[in-house]
């Protein structure tokens, strides 16, 4: 059994957790949503300062709730890429300090690998291979999960992430930040067929469209034009119908691509992760479409879909069990493809090589 204390500060949640393999001992998430709400989005510098103010307390609380002490901790994990660089540095510096002070190995974790591992916390018996649809504020990706550290991006967005599109359209409709939950709530009272909107297909040079990549910029522009036209015709906007039509279109686009990808690559399990996995239309449409093809689809509970440190700890525990640790010189990276996650580790073989030099 591997026990890890994990830190996540890549965006606007200061999160610390203690995880044993695929089991959560404690998970503290201090959300900054209230602080960023007045700006209508995350302000990076404000996020970093907020992490600095909260992190020590979150670490102490996570350890206390777990009922464990430092002697039981096998490693210190932290998200080190991708994310807001100043925000990542707060977690990384705290993790390095703890690793040095308590003489524990450091395990850097790729944020998206963490989102994939959230599904292992929800379903401890789940094993690769499976297809992961990752839909968050920063990413919209279809990832082939073959093993720990072995990932292939099969599809992604060419512009906005799905959550980003929800947040921007919510602003257009004068709804509060974050926009996804606000649109989801409002859509429940609207008619998803009220307006016909483009799904955002990516044209291929030889004709046809890319089967797995998506684009939300055309849909966003179509929403803007529609709202402007409706505002000219009437002073009252049909916001519920607009929310339901937008949400339905995003869900249809993601469902079509995900099912096509699973069928083409022969995956019998689809796992969904990231904040947009909470969306009701996406849940309903994907479950229905997957059932028709005899594909199993798993949606982890919302607390595990949105940013948290338990998912980071779960990924770190598996890397640590395989002897993957990070050097104390590890840097934070605002960008790093999930296919390159093994760059974060010194595997036992490499360290043996270093000793020989
Ligand atoms: O995974 P997450 O917490 O943070 C990132 O790593 O980005 O995702 C946050 C995103 C936000 O854009 C938010 O609007 C969206 O997830 N979101 C939703 C819903 N709940 C959260 N989008 C659509 N429907 C929801 N119910
Ligand atoms: Zn995330």
């Amino acid at each position: 059994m591997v026990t890890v204390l994990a830190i996540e500060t890549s965006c606007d949640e200061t999160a610390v957790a203690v995880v044993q393999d695929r089991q959560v001992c404690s998970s503290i998430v201090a959300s900054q949503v209230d602080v960023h709400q007045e700006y209508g989005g995350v302000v990076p510098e404000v996020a970093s300062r907020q992490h600095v103010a909260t992190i020590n307390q979150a670490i102490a609380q996570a350890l206390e709730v777990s009922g464990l002490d430092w002697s039981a901790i096998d490693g210190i994990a932290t998200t080190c890429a991708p994310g807001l660089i100043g925000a990542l540095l707060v977690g990384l510096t705290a993790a390095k300090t703890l690793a040095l002070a308590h003489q524990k190995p450091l395990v850097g974790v790729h944020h998206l690998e963490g989102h994939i591992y959230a599904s292992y916390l929800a379903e401890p018996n789940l094993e690769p291979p499976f297809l992961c649809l990752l839909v968050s504020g920063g990413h919209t990706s279809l990832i082939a999960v073959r093993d720990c550290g072995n990932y292939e991006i099969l599809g992604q967005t060419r512009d906005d992430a799905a959550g980003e599109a929800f947040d921007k359209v919510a602003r257009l409709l004068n709804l509060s930040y974050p926009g996804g939950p606000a649109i989801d709530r409002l859509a429940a009272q609207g008619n998803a067929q009220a307006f016909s909107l483009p799904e955002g297909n990516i044209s291929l040079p030889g004709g046809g469209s890319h089967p797995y990549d998506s684009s939300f910029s055309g849909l966003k522009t179509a929403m803007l034009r529609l709202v402007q036209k409706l505002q000219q015709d009437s002073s009252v906007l049909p916001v519920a119908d607009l929310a339901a039509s937008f949400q339905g279109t995003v869900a249809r686009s993601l469902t079509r691509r995900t099912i096509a990808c699973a069928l083409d690559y022969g995956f019998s399990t689809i796992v969904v992760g990231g904040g947009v996995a909470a969306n009701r239309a996406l849940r309903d449409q994907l479950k229905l479409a997957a059932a028709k093809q005899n594909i199993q689809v798993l949606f982890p509970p919302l607390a595990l879909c949105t940013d948290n440190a338990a998912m980071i700890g779960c990924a770190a525990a598996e890397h640590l069990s395989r002897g993957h640790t990070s050097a104390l010189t590890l840097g934070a990276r605002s960008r790093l493809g999930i296919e390159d996650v093994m760059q974060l580790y010194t595997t036992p073989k490499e360290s043996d090589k270093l000793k020989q030099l």
Side-chain angles (χ1 to χ4, degrees):
M1 187 171 65
V2 177
T3 307
V4 167
L5 180 128
I7 299 174
E8 153 63 45
T9 61
S10 69
C11 191
D12 61 345
E13 327 275 4
T14 314
V16 184
V18 175
V19 174
Q20 285 184 325
D21 296 333
R22 295 181 172 185
Q23 211 181 337
V24 185
C25 303
S26 65
S27 179
I28 307 298
V29 182
S31 174
Q32 302 179 3
V33 163
D34 293 351
V35 183
H36 298 288
Q37 212 150 31
E38 65 175 296
Y39 305 102
V42 178
V43 183
E45 183 58 26
V46 173
S48 313
R49 284 164 194 259
Q50 203 64 28
H51 287 313
V52 171
T54 323
I55 190 134
N56 284 338
Q57 202 190 340
I59 292 167
Q61 220 178 328
L63 202 61
E64 191 189 327
V65 174
S66 75
L68 301 171
D69 59 29
W70 289 109
S71 64
I73 304 292
D74 299 310
I76 311 291
T78 186
T79 308
C80 60
L84 302 172
I85 197 76
L88 285 168
L89 278 170
V90 178
L92 182 60
T93 307
K96 284 183 182 178
T97 310
L98 290 172
L100 263 174
H102 297 284
Q103 291 294 298
K104 311 281 181 189
L106 175 74
V107 186
V109 175
H110 191 286
H111 184 75
L112 295 198
E113 191 177 35
H115 273 299
I116 293 168
Y117 270 77
S119 45
Y120 293 117
L121 290 171
E123 300 277 338
N125 295 325
L126 176 69
E127 290 299 336
F130 57 83
L131 178 66
C132 178
L133 168 66
L134 192 57
V135 269
S136 69
H139 295 89
T140 302
S141 309
L142 280 164
I143 305 168
V145 178
R146 303 218 164 85
D147 193 6
C148 172
N150 182 349
Y151 310 103
E152 187 187 354
I153 298 265
L154 303 177
Q156 54 195 333
T157 177
R158 298 288 180 100
D159 36 61
D160 286 357
E164 199 178 352
F166 269 96
D167 294 337
K168 288 179 179 168
V169 166
R171 216 176 308 162
L172 180 70
L173 300 178
N174 276 324
L175 304 175
S176 60
Y177 173 84
I183 290 190
D184 201 350
R185 272 193 304 274
L186 197 61
Q189 299 145 34
N191 172 8
Q193 265 74 50
F195 302 103
S196 162
L197 294 159
E199 270 185 44
N201 295 325
I202 308 287
S203 306
L204 289 173
S209 59
H210 193 291
Y212 321 128
D213 278 3
S214 47
S215 160
F216 295 107
S217 67
L219 172 59
K220 219 173 52 190
T221 309
M223 281 296 288
L224 176 67
R225 299 234 166 90
L226 179 60
V227 167
Q228 284 169 340
K229 189 182 170 297
L230 290 167
Q231 275 167 339
Q232 277 169 7
D233 299 345
S234 159
S235 59
V236 188
L237 266 187
V239 275
D241 286 350
L242 284 165
S245 301
F246 167 75
Q247 171 172 296
T249 308
V250 174
R252 206 159 48 244
S253 161
L254 292 172
T255 298
R256 208 160 42 77
R257 286 167 171 76
T258 307
I259 297 293
C261 189
L263 290 175
D264 291 351
Y265 281 86
F267 287 107
S268 54
T269 302
I270 295 169
V271 162
V272 191
V276 185
N279 187 262
R280 265 170 281 188
L282 178 62
R283 285 180 174 249
D284 293 347
Q285 290 194 30
L286 194 53
K287 272 185 197 156
L288 202 71
K292 279 187 193 156
Q293 304 293 342
N294 274 326
I295 295 172
Q296 180 192 27
V297 58
L298 302 172
F299 286 89
L302 184 58
L304 291 173
C305 289
T306 50
D307 287 350
N308 64 85
M311 66 186 196
I312 303 300
C314 187
E318 179 139 16
H319 278 294
L320 201 53
S321 75
R322 293 176 181 221
H324 304 163
T325 59
S326 304
L328 279 174
T329 50
L330 181 72
R333 314 239 321 236
S334 59
R335 283 169 174 262
L336 178 70
I338 193 169
E339 284 146 326
D340 297 323
V341 357
M342 290 309 293
Q343 284 181 11
L344 303 176
Y345 306 112
T346 313
T347 59
K349 251 171 135 187
E350 281 171 45
S351 57
D352 286 350
K353 269 189 232 155
L354 283 174
K355 271 184 219 150
Q356 284 165 16
L357 283 173

